[in-house]
Amino acid sequence: MSSGKRLFVKTYGCQMNVYDSGRMADALAPHGWRAAGGPGDADLVVLNTCHIREKATEKVFSELGRLRRLKTEAAADGRRVLLAVAGCVAQAEGEEIAARAPWVDLVFGPQTYHRLPEMVARASAAPPARPWDGARLVDTEFPVESKFDLLPEEAGSAVSAFLTVQEGCDKFCAFCVVPYTRGAEVSRPAADILAEARRLAARGAREIVLLGQNVNAYHGEGPDGREWGLGRLIRALADAGAAERIRYTTSHPRDMDDDLADAHRDVPQLMPWLHLPAQSGSDRVLRAMNRGHDADFYLRLVERLREARPDLALSSDFIVGHPGETDADFAETVRLVARVGYAQAYSFKYSPRPGTPAAARPQVPEEAKAERLRALQQLLAAQQAAFNKACEGAVQPVLVERAGKRPGQLAGRGPYMQAAHFDGPPRLLGEIVPVRIEAGLANSLSGRALAGGTAGDAAAAAPASVEGEDVRP
């Protein structure tokens, strides 16, 4: 591939897709591809798709319609633009994309992007018969080789960096396409993860976020030849000094073992925030979802985790209107939310995913789903606002990730994943800064930076004990 080619990747959905998009760019970089500012400046446009959210496929086809015009206009100017669809929609709907959007050149699943340079070269070498008609190269196989073994080292730097440790899912929840689009659970060897974490730290990462569809199902081979769980891996990352902060997402309640719970107590680098999807508070709905746990199991697990780390903050996912859900079932979900108390949560109306068991069942009326979602989101928003309000007066160590929206403002995240804004000089970018929280807002925190101290592990609701001077631009 000649040098000077420009690449634009639009990423939908989860953090795993964000990580994957970065690795696609890493795979193409040795072949002369560099980042474009937008699709209009690109020679290759990749849509890295997610199949989890509602109407995901329709959104992709809508975007492809806009990109068809871009491709046609470029052809009129004598320039060829390649279009690619990657990710979970590509895996699930590859043949449909090829049939409905013949101007797409490449369709490839999440297990094949290490072959992207080869696919791009093949598509480029086969000029289409018409400017808007692509080669329609579809690769949605689950190869025997691990893509991680064949990718180049990651490029670039970020103060908070994603690191995939596990992919795929063996749970087969009735509503979910992940087992069909990402395949069976596969865990990377611990030595490879530790090496990548060290490289990320050397490039400036202060925080490592471990990723997986069921990240706490991690069962990779350790350097000692034994199988390691996620708790053991986190301890090794901390012992190696690979990151000052460690997080992981997304978890499944069934895979939260005692060793991982104890890691929250024992490893100071592991942040006191956990995303633990419940999906429902109704045992009947949980059985229909094939979640493999009931509400009591989930509540006892929360109690166990809070015993290990009393200042642990929880986030969750909830689906309302799953097929068969009644008003009484929904009331059980509300009761579970009220009992747990979440710092933040995501909630959605159930929407059918083709090929999943729940899609073939009688559906809850849309009006009922919408009303239940409004009620649940009102409760969750109130809990989040209360949690943020309780942070007022505390000092939190904020990892400064970027400039804020106005001059002189910086933005980052504290231990509990809340966005935090404060005034400070650009030299603080990439630093972990003690910030006294002055206002807990609905979706973020506002405060002032302190000098001459460290924030430590201040609990969100505890009054701050760290004093210092304002740090101003």
Side-chain angles (χ1 to χ4, degrees):
M1 186 66 61
S2 62
S3 63
K5 294 292 186 178
R6 294 165 297 177
L7 166 70
F8 179 78
V9 183
K10 181 172 182 177
T11 307
Y12 300 79
C14 66
Q15 290 141 320
M16 184 79 81
N17 271 14
V18 175
Y19 176 88
D20 283 355
S21 293
R23 300 316 308 273
M24 289 180 207
D26 292 342
L28 288 169
H31 301 268
W33 290 88
R34 298 293 180 264
D41 302 321
D43 301 293
L44 169 62
V45 178
V46 180
L47 303 183
N48 190 14
T49 62
C50 176
H51 212 295
I52 298 299
R53 300 296 182 246
E54 188 175 7
K55 300 179 180 178
T57 304
E58 291 84 346
K59 292 176 182 177
V60 170
F61 280 110
S62 177
E63 183 68 20
L64 287 175
R66 290 188 286 271
L67 291 173
R68 177 182 182 174
R69 291 190 293 273
L70 182 151
K71 183 172 185 175
T72 303
E73 291 168 0
D77 293 335
R79 185 170 66 90
R80 185 176 182 190
V81 175
L82 296 178
L83 301 182
V85 180
C88 291
V89 172
Q91 184 71 41
E93 313 283 351
E95 295 301 329
E96 182 178 1
I97 293 169
R100 288 179 56 185
W103 56 92
V104 172
D105 299 273
L106 299 164
V107 181
F108 56 96
Q111 300 304 326
T112 62
Y113 61 72
H114 59 290
R115 297 203 288 253
L116 184 55
E118 174 192 352
M119 289 188 281
V120 170
R122 288 170 59 192
S124 299
R130 298 172 295 172
W132 55 88
D133 190 3
R136 294 192 298 279
L137 194 158
V138 178
D139 188 346
T140 54
E141 297 299 317
F142 288 99
V144 174
E145 74 274 8
S146 169
K147 67 184 181 186
F148 296 104
D149 294 337
L150 300 170
L151 285 167
E153 288 189 7
E154 59 289 328
S157 63
V159 294
S160 179
F162 294 136
L163 200 172
T164 292
V165 302
Q166 176 271 344
E167 280 198 278
C169 181
D170 296 341
K171 299 295 188 292
F172 288 92
C173 295
F175 54 82
C176 186
V177 298
V178 166
Y180 311 101
T181 59
R182 289 277 182 172
E185 289 178 357
V186 177
S187 295
R188 298 176 65 187
D192 293 352
I193 295 167
L194 289 164
E196 185 171 341
R198 292 188 188 98
R199 292 195 298 268
L200 292 169
R203 294 188 177 99
R206 308 289 295 273
E207 176 179 270
I208 299 293
V209 183
L210 307 178
L211 298 181
Q213 267 78 40
N214 279 333
V215 67
N216 56 340
Y218 176 80
H219 54 275
E221 181 183 2
D224 57 3
R226 299 180 181 180
E227 185 176 278
W228 283 16
L230 187 61
R232 180 71 184 86
L233 177 65
I234 288 171
R235 286 181 169 85
L237 287 165
D239 291 344
E244 295 167 71
R245 289 184 167 192
I246 301 171
R247 303 185 189 272
Y248 62 91
T249 193
T250 287
S251 305
H252 194 292
R254 285 164 52 189
D255 294 315
M256 184 64 66
D257 60 21
D258 284 340
D259 185 55
L260 182 53
D262 289 342
H264 282 275
R265 177 195 64 204
D266 301 334
V267 181
Q269 294 93 331
L270 183 56
M271 292 293 96
W273 181 88
L274 173 62
H275 187 67
L276 189 65
Q279 304 298 1
S280 176
S282 162
D283 290 348
R284 197 177 69 84
V285 172
L286 289 168
R287 285 193 298 272
M289 289 178 166
N290 194 37
R291 289 289 288 171
H293 65 85
D294 58 20
D296 183 65
F297 177 93
Y298 185 90
L299 291 168
R300 285 187 284 109
L301 179 57
V302 169
E303 183 179 3
R304 167 75 175 86
L305 288 161
R306 285 176 168 164
E307 286 176 355
R309 184 74 191 253
D311 64 334
L312 185 71
L314 290 171
S315 173
S316 193
D317 291 339
F318 291 95
I319 296 172
V320 302
H322 189 271
E325 183 189 69
T326 65
D327 288 341
D329 292 322
F330 175 68
E332 291 294 328
T333 296
V334 172
R335 277 191 281 273
L336 182 138
V337 171
R339 284 191 62 180
V340 173
Y342 291 99
Q344 188 261 344
Y346 301 97
S347 53
F348 311 94
K349 292 185 293 184
Y350 170 80
S351 60
R353 296 291 178 266
T356 59
R361 299 171 185 168
Q363 302 296 303
V364 173
E366 190 65 27
E367 298 79 9
K369 288 194 288 187
E371 181 57 37
R372 291 171 192 172
L373 184 63
R374 280 193 293 271
L376 180 60
Q377 289 184 338
Q378 183 177 11
L379 174 58
L380 291 169
Q383 289 187 344
Q384 180 174 338
F387 183 82
N388 289 350
K389 187 73 174 175
C391 294
E392 292 181 354
V395 170
Q396 289 195 4
V398 173
L399 176 59
V400 185
E401 298 176 344
R402 62 190 185 280
K405 293 183 178 180
R406 58 177 177 76
Q409 187 183 64
L410 299 175
R413 293 191 181 273
Y416 305 111
M417 281 297 287
Q418 301 144 300
H421 305 88
F422 62 94
D423 288 341
R427 62 180 172 79
L428 295 179
L429 287 167
E431 298 297 323
I432 298 175
V433 177
V435 175
R436 184 179 296 283
I437 305 305
E438 297 178 331
L441 309 173
N443 298 302
S444 64
L445 306 175
S446 177
R448 61 182 176 89
L450 306 179
T454 57
D457 293 325
S465 58
V466 180
E467 298 296 337
E469 300 174 354
D470 287 354
V471 178
R472 303 290 182 184

